[in-house]
């Protein structure tokens, strides 16, 4: 009997596995939920931080822009003051005199690429414009103009003043070394010369101011167009540098205060988010514990139900096995009776022939008693005679000696009869040997088996059980030794041969073939019978299914064949053509799979079961 399906065991393992998977999935999704909430909180905090940082940056940028605009307006007013007070009398004539100095020869010197690849003025060009600046400083008006500018701006927030003519040449600078420089390509000068003031905020590590050299100052430089009184024509450009270091320091301090406040708010929000997340985790753990308890209750209830069902299944299985065994026993006895009848028929023929021959030989042997006595008497006379001549007294023996005839032909006949008797004995010996090979194989162990030898034995035994009108043909190919349970495979092939013979209504042939098919052994049992109808084919391996009349078949033959072959790790296929015949093909591995081998060793032996 095959191993019973352990319902309780498999339910326990399967349900525990499923519950573990459910618990793991719930824990995973719980972690995912917590991670999602944490990530959402993190994103919200990051968003708030970015908003606050952006607000602080915007506040600082707006403050800087306002500072730049206010100083630009102040510088515009300062430029207007210069234009009203100093331009017409001082700067105007001075700038006009500078504009008369030729600079085209300096500008003609081409710029060259520096080490960084950028184009710049070479030393010759810088020296040329420096000579222009030196020439400007030699003007008689310069000293008085310079003193007036320094006196006016010394106590203001203005650090430096430059004045450019209409060509972009620096006509005046409170930093004298910069006089004569060419600023025609400067964006600030270009904007101011077209009438648009330009300003920018810069930081200088060192800067030459009216008070001397100052360090680490934040400055606003403004390029401002100069309009003479009553004119809309730009006569020159002022560049004014204003110190905004204290104002920028206050703006930076305000920004730092705002940032500190934002960080404090951020920390409070993070603490609140952490507390919320801890509450969510606690609720999730309680939820998981509740679900786990419900799963245990559900498992206990299902376990009791399955255990009860398993008991019912076991009872039903035992009842089915008893019915199965009873039907199999009936089929086995019928099959054994058929086999014994065929074997008895095969034994009776040579046995009766041998008995008749031996009786005839025994009758013939009686005729040789008298010749043997005469020969014995003659032998004694020869032993007693001293010479070469023996005198025989036939008085009293003549009537008996006259009865002795030439029996050489009869002896030859008797020899032939004894030879025929020996041949009959050999036939009986062969039948007994095949029966012994068929029945003596180990029934509970697997071994390396010569499958062709087993097929020959099965075919020989089958011939005794099937009608003589059906011919059994053996076509065996070269096969390796196969690891199997020989007794079980003998049962498989005997069932297939018997079924094939029963499918032939008249004269026909059953062919048993063996060969290698790739890495498997293939055994074909082909008949010339009626074939299997289409409506029957799906059911031929169903237990208890039979097309035979009631009382002639149990429907166990082919199911047993399929079970044994599958337990050996193989498979059974069939191909049928109605009216032509059917071929059943058995595919077997050369080596048994481990678990299949264990099943084959455990499987009980039963006699062949015709379907």
């Amino acid at each position: 009997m095959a191993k019973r399906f352990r319902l309780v065991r498999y339910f326990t393992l399967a349900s525990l596995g499923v519950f573990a998977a459910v618990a793991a999935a719930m824990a995973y999704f719980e972690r995912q939920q917590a991670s999602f909430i944490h990530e959402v909180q993190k994103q919200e905090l990051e968003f708030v931080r970015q908003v606050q940082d952006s607000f602080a940056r915007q506040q600082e940028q707006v403050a800087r822009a306002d500072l730049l605009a206010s100083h630009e307006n102040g510088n515009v007013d300062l430029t207007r003051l210069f234009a009203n007070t100093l331009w017409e009398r001082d700067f105007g004539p001075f700038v006009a005199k500078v504009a008369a100095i030729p600079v085209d020869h300096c500008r003609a010197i081409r710029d060259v690429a520096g080490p960084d690849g950028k184009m710049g003025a070479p030393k010759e060009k810088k020296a040329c414009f420096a000579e222009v600046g030196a020439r400007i400083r030699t003007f008689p008006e310069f000293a008085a103009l310079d003193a007036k500018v320094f006196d006016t701006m010394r106590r203001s927030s203005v650090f430096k003043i430059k004045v450019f003519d209409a060509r972009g040449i620096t006509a005046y600078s409170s930093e004298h070394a910069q006089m004569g420089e060419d600023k025609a390509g400067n964006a600030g000068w270009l904007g101011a010369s077209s009438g648009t003031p330009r300003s920018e905020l810069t930081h200088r590590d060192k800067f030459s101011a009216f008070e001397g050299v100052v360090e680490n100052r934040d400055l606003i430089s403004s390029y401002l167009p100069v309009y003479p009184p009553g004119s809309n024509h730009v006569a020159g450009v002022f560049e004014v540098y204003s110190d905004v270091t204290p104002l920028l320091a206050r703006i930076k301090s305000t920004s730092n205060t705002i940032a500190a406040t934002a960080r404090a708010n951020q920390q409070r929000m993070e603490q609140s988010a952490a507390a919320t997340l801890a509450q969510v985790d606690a609720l999730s753990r309680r939820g998981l514990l509740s679900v786990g308890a419900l799963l245990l209750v559900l498992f206990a209830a299902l376990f009791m139900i399955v255990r009860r069902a398993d008991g019912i299944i076991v009872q039903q299985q035992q009842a089915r096995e008893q019915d199965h065994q009873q039907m199999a026993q009936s089929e086995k006895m019928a099959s054994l009776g058929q086999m014994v009848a065929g074997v008895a028929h095969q034994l009776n023929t040579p046995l009766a022939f041998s008995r008749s021959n031996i009786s005839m030989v025994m009758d013939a042997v009686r005729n040789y008693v008298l010749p043997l006595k005469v020969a014995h008497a003659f032998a004694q006379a020869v032993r007693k005679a001293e010479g070469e001549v023996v005198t025989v007294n036939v008085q009293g023996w003549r009537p008996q000696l006259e009865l002795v005839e030439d029996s050489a032909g009869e002896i030859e006949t008797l020899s032939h009869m004894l030879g025929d008797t020996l041949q009959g004995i050999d036939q009986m010996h062969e039948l007994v040997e095949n029966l012994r090979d068929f029945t003596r194989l180990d029934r509970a162990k697997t071994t390396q088996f010569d499958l062709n030898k087993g097929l020959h034995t099965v075919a020989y035994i089958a011939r005794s059980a099937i009608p003589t009108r059906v011919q059994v043909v053996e076509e065996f190919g070269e096969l390796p030794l196969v690891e199997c349970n020989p007794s079980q495979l003998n049962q498989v092939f005997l069932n297939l041969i018997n079924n094939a013979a029963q499918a032939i209504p008249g004269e026909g042939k059953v062919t048993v073939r063996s060969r290698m098919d790739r890495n498997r052994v293939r055994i074909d049992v082909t008949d010339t019978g009626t074939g299997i109808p289409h409506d029957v084919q799906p059911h031929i391996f169903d237990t208890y299914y039979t097309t035979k009349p009631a009382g002639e078949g149990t429907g166990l033959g082919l199911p047993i064949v399929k079970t044994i072959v599958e337990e050996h790790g193989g498979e059974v296929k069939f191909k049928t053509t109605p009216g032509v015949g059917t071929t059943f093909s058995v595919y077997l591995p050369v080596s048994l799979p481990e678990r299949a081998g264990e099943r084959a060793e455990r499987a009980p032996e039963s006699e062949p079961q015709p379907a």
Side-chain angles (χ1 to χ4, degrees), residues 200-234:
E200 63 178 353
L201 182 63
T202 61
H203 179 82
R204 299 292 179 89
D205 296 333
K206 288 185 178 182
F207 188 77
S208 297
F210 290 108
E211 292 81 1
V213 177
V214 295
E215 296 180 350
N216 295 323
R217 308 303 291 179
D218 293 307
L219 304 172
I220 291 179
S221 62
S222 298
Y223 290 85
L224 307 166
V226 177
Y227 299 96
S231 174
N232 292 327
H233 176 69
V234 177

Side-chain angles (χ1 to χ4, degrees), residues 14-28:
S15 58
L16 288 178
V18 171
F19 288 165
V22 170
M26 293 183 65
Y28 170 77

Side-chain angles (χ1 to χ4, degrees), residues 55-133:
F55 172 74
R57 287 194 301 271
Q58 290 178 359
Q59 185 273 338
E60 184 173 354
Q61 291 172 358
V62 169
R64 287 173 175 265
D66 291 344
L67 178 65
L68 192 64
S70 64
H71 275 72
E72 183 177 282
N73 292 332
N75 290 336
V76 169
D77 294 338
L78 179 63
T79 303
R80 289 173 181 171
L81 175 63
F82 269 64
N84 293 330
T85 59
L86 299 177
W87 184 264
E88 186 174 358
R89 186 181 63 185
D90 296 313
F91 275 110
F94 187 82
V95 171
K97 191 174 180 180
V98 172
I101 300 174
V103 296
D104 291 340
H105 65 287
C106 295
R107 287 179 172 174
I109 301 174
R110 293 185 178 183
D111 293 342
V112 295
D116 57 354
K118 295 183 179 180
M119 300 300 292
K123 293 180 180 180
E124 296 83 357
K125 192 171 186 177
K126 292 180 180 179
C128 184
F129 282 110
E131 291 178 0
V132 173

